[in-house]
Amino acid sequence: MDITETMSESGKVEWARMIAGQVYQDTHPDIDSARLRAERLFTEYNRLGYDNPQRQGEILSQLLGAVGDDAVIKPNFRCELGCNISIGSNVHINYDCAILDNAPVTIHDNVWIAPKVGLFATNHALDRDERINGACQASPIVLEEGVWLGGHVIVLGGVTIGAGSVIGAGSVVTKDIPEHVVAVGNPARVLKLITSEDKTGYLERLDARGNQA
């Protein structure tokens, strides 16, 4: 679905500027309409609960740009526009996640997101007069394969978190994080590399139990 099909010419211009990472008018009526569309969809999604997975799947396919197999998104999920969010397979998004997807937000396979996480791709202008008149600028967010975000983590626009990395609870991620590390703090900084020494023997135990069965 091309969400810009019914927009005015000025709306299409502001939308294109938004996606391109340029300063755009966040208060444009066409962007407001797209925001309202998303809110209607995620409000219905959150009200359905766990016992209507078919309808939940239908809503996600309308709301999001893409969603993979076996993705779990708990209520109360909220997003800005929805159509700029791509979610891979085997993704688990826990309670109260908020995604401001005025730029593309890409969540790869096997990503885990703990409760009350915020992915904020957009930012208001610093100048007061520009800000109160709707000036915003957005940058993409990428969570590569196997990333785990702890509870209450915030990821800002322009950030890529590398495959397999873990972000500690309460951290604010303002810059790129490399692969296979633990990062914590505000702003988040790399604490340690994740190595084979971090393995607990869990998989071997499960494998042994399977062989016994």
Side-chain angles (χ1 to χ4, degrees), residues 204-213:
E204 290 78 6
R205 182 171 63 82
L206 290 189
D207 185 58
R209 185 174 68 189
N211 290 337
Q212 289 172 3

Side-chain angles (χ1 to χ4, degrees), residues 145 162-166 177-182 190 192-195 198:
E145 194 275 334
S165 286
V166 177
I177 301 295
E179 297 181 354
H180 305 296
V181 299
V182 176
V190 174
K192 67 182 294 287
L193 184 67
I194 300 172
T195 70
D198 293 296

Side-chain angles (χ1 to χ4, degrees), residues 2-146:
D2 181 3
I3 202 167
T4 66
E5 281 184 344
T6 59
M7 288 185 179
S8 65
E9 288 306 311
S10 62
K12 291 178 180 178
V13 168
E14 296 303 325
W15 187 274
R17 291 183 63 87
M18 179 183 74
I19 298 299
Q22 301 170 354
V23 176
Y24 68 96
Q25 183 190 358
D26 190 60
T27 54
H28 192 283
D30 289 338
I31 294 178
D32 276 339
S33 293
R35 189 179 289 115
L36 182 60
R37 170 189 175 274
E39 187 169 345
R40 289 194 184 104
L41 287 168
F42 72 65
T43 298
E44 181 184 354
Y45 178 87
N46 290 327
R47 286 175 177 167
L48 284 172
Y50 64 88
D51 55 352
N52 201 335
Q54 180 175 347
R55 178 56 184 154
Q56 282 187 319
E58 292 170 354
I59 293 171
L60 289 180
S61 67
Q62 296 174 53
L63 175 63
L64 303 177
V67 59
D69 297 330
D70 299 319
V72 175
I73 303 177
K74 298 285 191 178
N76 289 302
F77 173 74
R78 290 155 291 175
C79 60
E80 184 88 7
L81 301 164
C83 59
N84 295 323
I85 301 172
S86 296
I87 295 176
S89 296
N90 194 35
V91 168
H92 189 101
I93 299 177
N94 219 317
Y95 300 104
D96 297 318
C97 179
I99 302 178
L100 306 186
D101 59 305
N102 301 78
V105 174
T106 305
I107 300 172
H108 287 275
D109 296 348
N110 304 308
V111 167
W112 289 9
I113 296 178
K116 297 186 181 298
V117 165
L119 308 179
F120 304 150
T122 193
N123 200 10
H124 297 285
L126 292 178
D127 179 83
R128 171 192 173 276
D129 292 334
E130 290 188 345
R131 183 167 62 251
I132 64 177
N133 283 282
C136 283
Q137 191 167 11
S139 301
I141 292 173
V142 178
L143 307 182
E144 294 185 347
E145 194 275 334

